[in-house]
Amino acid sequence: MFRITCAALAGLLSLSAQAAGITGDVGAGVSYQPHDPTGSRYETRPVPYLDLDWGNVSLSTDDGLTWSALNTNGFTAGPYINYLQGRTSNGELQGLRNVSDMAEVGGFIQYAPADFWRVYAQLGQAVGGGHSQSGALGKVGGELGYPLGGGIIGSSGLVAHFADARQTQTFFGVDDNEAAATGFKAYNASGGFQNVTLSQSFQFPLAPNWSLLTSASWVHLVGSAANSSIVKETGDVNQGQVQTAISYTFD
């Protein structure tokens, strides 16, 4: 029954993608990750896996929805929109303001002369939250992929995230009212680089068009984020995240 169901699902996915002209990977998995950027605690979350292309439009779990308005000689650039996870302030964060889920809207530039490596930069604005929760943010990074034999593909990435003072204050700051309610020392966060993230991923073939994906990331907070009273009292400057997913590849 399982094999029949998988075969039927694969057929439907493939036919739908071919009809729409879509290529890439789609799947589902789970992630064990920090509850919020301060690393106050960890939790397990279901996550979709997306890495799809439709002409010059792409949709991925990491980069969101992008449109390569400029696409020449390995250089691409254009607008993007992505999901920005908020924060429920419970547990040890009780008394801090909640942060609503938001959208991140901005532009990107990327240089990828081959499929297996790229360098890129993004700059955007958080929208959809309160006025004090809608600052500027972005990242610069690179990614390198390589075959390991037996159909296994590895990928290593290094990314530096930055934000302005308002966006950093959203997750790392503590105003006077919050300090009185929580016992955290009042803290005004400043802009700059927030963290450096090193990631390592592997793709293992399972069957034709099906793969097992695994990923592990190390996040090191820097600057104003690392000096936050929340991080010092209940969070962690060094954080980790692991993910695994099953994906289907559209030929």
Side-chain angles (χ1 to χ4, degrees):
M1 177 64 72
F2 177 74
R3 292 180 179 177
I4 294 175
T5 302
C6 285
L9 176 61
L12 289 173
L13 289 173
S14 182
L15 288 173
S16 298
Q18 289 175 10
I22 298 173
T23 60
D25 301 274
V26 63
V30 294
S31 175
Y32 182 69
Q33 63 188 58
H35 168 73
D36 68 289
T38 66
S40 61
R41 68 176 188 271
Y42 284 77
E43 61 189 12
T44 301
R45 291 177 175 237
V47 292
Y49 177 77
L50 299 168
D51 187 11
L52 301 173
D53 295 304
W54 182 34
N56 288 329
V57 176
S58 299
L59 178 63
S60 76
T61 304
D62 292 332
D63 297 327
L65 182 65
T66 62
W67 173 43
S68 298
L70 170 68
N71 190 345
T72 179
N73 297 322
F75 284 97
T76 54
Y80 76 90
I81 182 170
N82 205 353
Y83 167 72
L84 185 61
Q85 182 179 310
R87 176 187 71 194
T88 301
S89 299
N90 52 18
E92 294 183 324
L93 302 181
Q94 187 72 40
L96 295 175
R97 63 192 177 281
N98 289 328
V99 179
S100 58
D101 293 345
M102 292 177 277
E104 178 186 347
V105 180
F108 76 94
I109 185 169
Q110 174 177 281
Y111 179 59
D115 291 337
F116 57 86
W117 74 273
R118 64 172 183 149
V119 291
Y120 59 92
Q122 291 184 354
L123 178 62
Q125 176 78 25
V127 297
H131 175 72
S132 61
Q133 300 179 355
S134 301
L137 68 167
K139 59 184 178 181
V140 292
E143 185 177 9
L144 175 65
Y146 38 85
L148 296 173
I152 301 172
I153 299 175
S155 177
S156 302
L158 180 64
V159 185
H161 294 81
F162 58 90
D164 66 2
R166 184 166 60 180
Q167 187 64 27
T168 307
Q169 181 74 11
T170 296
F171 289 99
F172 297 96
V174 181
D175 63 28
D176 292 336
N177 292 330
E178 292 172 321
T182 62
F184 290 130
K185 183 180 178 181
Y187 181 73
N188 289 318
S190 59
F193 282 99
Q194 281 191 351
N195 73 64
V196 177
T197 300
L198 177 65
S199 61
Q200 179 64 53
S201 303
F202 297 99
Q203 180 175 352
F204 301 91
L206 297 177
N209 297 92
W210 291 94
S211 300
L212 170 67
L213 307 173
T214 63
S215 176
S217 299
W218 172 69
V219 180
H220 178 67
L221 299 181
V222 297
S224 184
N227 292 325
S228 167
S229 57
I230 306 173
V231 175
K232 289 183 176 180
E233 295 180 39
T234 193
D236 200 337
V237 170
N238 294 299
Q239 304 169 19
Q241 177 177 334
V242 292
Q243 295 180 329
T244 186
I246 301 294
S247 74
Y248 179 81
T249 301
F250 300 119
D251 291 326

